[in-house]
Amino acid sequence: MSVITSGTGQKNRLSDDSPIFNTLTELGHEQVVICSDPEVGLKAIIAIHDTTLGPSLGGTRMWMYNNEQEALRDVLRLSRGMTYKAAISGLNLGGGKAVIIGDSRTDKTEALFRSFGRFVDGLAGRYITAEDVGMEVQNMEWILKETTHVTGIPESMGGSGDPSPFTGYGVYMGAKASAKKAYGSDSLEGKRIALQGAGHVASYFAEHARKEGAELFISDIYTEKAESLAAKVGGTVVPAEDIYGLDVDIFTPCALGGVVNDETIDIFNCDIIAGGANNILDDEEVHGKQLMDKGIIYAPDYAINAGGIINISVELSENGYDPAIAKEKTAVIYDTTLKVLNYAEENGIPTFKAANLLAEQRIADAKAGK
Ligand code: NAD
């Protein structure tokens, strides 16, 4: 194992030819831990982006990266995103993330996850892990055998369980706040909503939106998933490729990231984009500005999909986990979204930029002891 620490802005003599340190400085990371345990086949990277507001929190992703660079890029990008998500949500948490390089279908063993758990434990709480893509409850239980710095574990084990109900509820509150901004009323009654993806987050979002009388158009690459959700909550199934151009009030992407891109930007026929997917804008600067120019209100993804991490923050609180408190805190996403949208309007900037600035301001204030 080797530990690479960026330090805290100290000058060093490597600046011209040290790509790793230069990248960490540019992205603002505090520490990156390369975890290697050949005996059990563990190759993992833990990235701690910023702990100004509190210990870094973020899930562990197990993925077949093509090479080390790809894994490093992913963990750096994801951990930085967690810092912004926690900061904009008013949580006293920093941003972190871990990736395990491997095939989640064939490479999982108890020894591997326990070894990883010991690396997490070695960070003494500076990094708290959770479940992410490629991980299952069983794997988290193995990690838990080696460290207490794990969250999102099943309720039966004293954790907060599946975060999706809270993420879905938060996206719903974010969509309502966006409607308030666009239409002067936050009611979703009669609003036409195009829902991309019919998975966990989408399903919980759909239930809330339907209860309020929204009209849903549902798509999934697996048509049977869209059909099943439509049968459950009520809605019209739409082919996956047709979802972008529907004449709707709100487009709610709850599948993959990068769906606002060069190809889709001119197809949208909606007033609002508010969804649960991470990294909805393919290129923040380019597509965020284009949405603003088109008059489409974009509710920044990390501000409105924070319900899961808000839920986990309740699990970490001194009083222990309480779902009612988690729901109450998730509802604050409504205020956060309006704050971001108003700040963007007042300053004539795209909404993603407004969210970034507000998150950075909160961290800067904390650093300055405000
Ligand atoms: P999920 O796997 O349950 O659902 C995703 C669904 O999207 C699947 O049904 C999949 O078939 C579908 N899909 C994939 N590509 C598609 C496409 N091109 N068109 C239509 N459908 C497509 O995942 P989830 O947990 O619901 O997460 C959804 C998104 O929200 C992800 O981007 C995730 O990163 C993000 N997110 C989730 C949480 C959470 O608590 N689960 C928290 C924050 C962010």
Side-chain angles (χ1 to χ4, degrees):
M1 174 202 172
S2 72
V3 179
I4 305 165
T5 306
S6 77
T8 48
Q10 287 172 329
K11 293 256 180 281
N12 62 63
R13 273 175 266 156
L14 297 172
S15 53
D16 290 340
D17 57 353
S18 52
I20 291 179
F21 283 102
N22 288 346
T23 303
L24 298 189
T25 303
E26 189 189 319
L27 294 175
H29 286 77
E30 291 178 12
Q31 188 177 12
V32 177
V33 183
I34 313 289
C35 314
S36 169
D37 186 347
E39 265 181 43
V40 300
L42 177 74
K43 288 181 183 167
I45 311 174
I46 300 171
I48 296 176
H49 178 255
D50 191 297
T51 57
T52 307
L53 299 173
S56 69
L57 177 96
T60 295
R61 177 169 292 193
M62 186 165 189
W63 196 254
M64 272 296 281
Y65 293 100
N66 290 315
N67 52 55
E68 294 170 359
Q69 281 316 107
E70 207 179 80
L72 182 64
R73 223 181 359 255
D74 206 29
V75 78
L76 293 179
R77 186 180 59 88
L78 291 166
S79 54
R80 187 168 186 264
M82 292 306 293
T83 297
Y84 280 77
K85 191 180 292 205
I88 198 79
S89 307
L91 304 175
N92 291 323
L93 289 168
K97 201 87 184 180
V99 294
I100 296 177
I101 302 167
D103 189 333
S104 62
R105 292 163 303 180
T106 53
D107 295 346
K108 289 181 173 180
T109 60
E110 177 170 352
L112 181 135
F113 286 107
R114 290 186 70 156
S115 173
F116 175 71
R118 289 191 290 277
F119 281 105
V120 172
D121 202 56
L123 288 163
R126 268 174 59 71
Y127 168 65
I128 302 168
T129 196
E131 216 175 309
D132 196 63
V133 176
M135 299 289 282
E136 287 154 64
V137 172
Q138 163 84 88
N139 316 141
M140 302 314 291
E141 288 175 14
W142 285 329
I143 295 171
L144 187 62
K145 284 187 179 172
E146 301 289 346
T147 181
T148 53
H149 305 300
V150 185
T151 56
I153 49 178
E155 285 171 272
S156 59
M157 295 167 69
S160 59
D162 178 11
S164 315
F166 296 89
T167 306
Y169 178 61
V171 173
Y172 161 71
M173 294 308 279
K176 279 178 75 64
S178 306
K180 175 83 180 161
K181 188 77 191 159
Y183 310 117
S185 159
D186 66 16
S187 172
L188 298 186
E189 189 179 0
K191 291 283 176 281
R192 291 161 57 86
I193 300 179
L195 190 53
Q196 183 181 44
H200 292 99
V201 174
S203 303
Y204 290 106
F205 168 86
E207 278 179 21
H208 292 292
R210 282 291 296 151
K211 230 177 253 170
E212 210 178 317
E215 189 183 350
L216 296 185
F217 300 87
I218 304 171
S219 77
D220 199 289
I221 40 168
Y222 300 108
T223 312
E224 63 276 14
K225 288 188 84 169
E227 283 169 351
S228 155
L229 181 59
K232 190 172 164 212
V233 299
T236 308
V237 175
V238 176
E241 61 279 12
D242 293 348
I243 197 77
Y244 299 105
L246 286 188
D247 180 6
V248 291
D249 300 297
I250 305 175
F251 173 62
T252 298
C254 290
L256 301 180
V259 292
V260 177
N261 55 44
D262 288 345
E263 270 144 47
T264 58
I265 190 82
D266 289 325
I267 303 175
F268 290 113
N269 193 3
C270 58
D271 301 321
I272 295 166
I273 295 181
N278 281 312
N279 305 315
I280 288 173
L281 304 179
D282 190 36
D283 181 320
E284 267 191 351
E285 294 287 344
V286 174
H287 303 114
K289 171 80 167 55
Q290 286 178 334
L291 286 180
M292 181 173 94
D293 293 344
K294 284 173 172 293
I296 296 176
I297 292 179
Y298 168 63
D301 45 16
Y302 66 79
I304 75 164
N305 73 15
I309 189 182
I310 293 172
N311 189 46
I312 285 176
S313 76
V314 177
E315 179 181 339
L316 290 170
S317 67
E318 273 175 20
N319 297 331
Y321 184 62
D322 180 342
I325 293 177
K327 188 166 181 195
E328 209 175 286
K329 287 186 180 258
T330 302
V332 175
I333 285 176
Y334 182 98
D335 300 327
T336 306
T337 308
L338 264 187
K339 186 176 168 186
V340 170
L341 299 181
N342 287 334
Y343 187 75
E345 187 181 52
E346 283 155 19
N347 293 283
I349 54 175
T351 55
F352 84 87
K353 180 82 104 197
N356 288 357
L357 289 173
L358 288 169
E360 285 162 8
Q361 190 58 51
R362 182 161 176 247
I363 294 168
D365 286 351
K367 276 196 175 129
K370 285 189 199 161

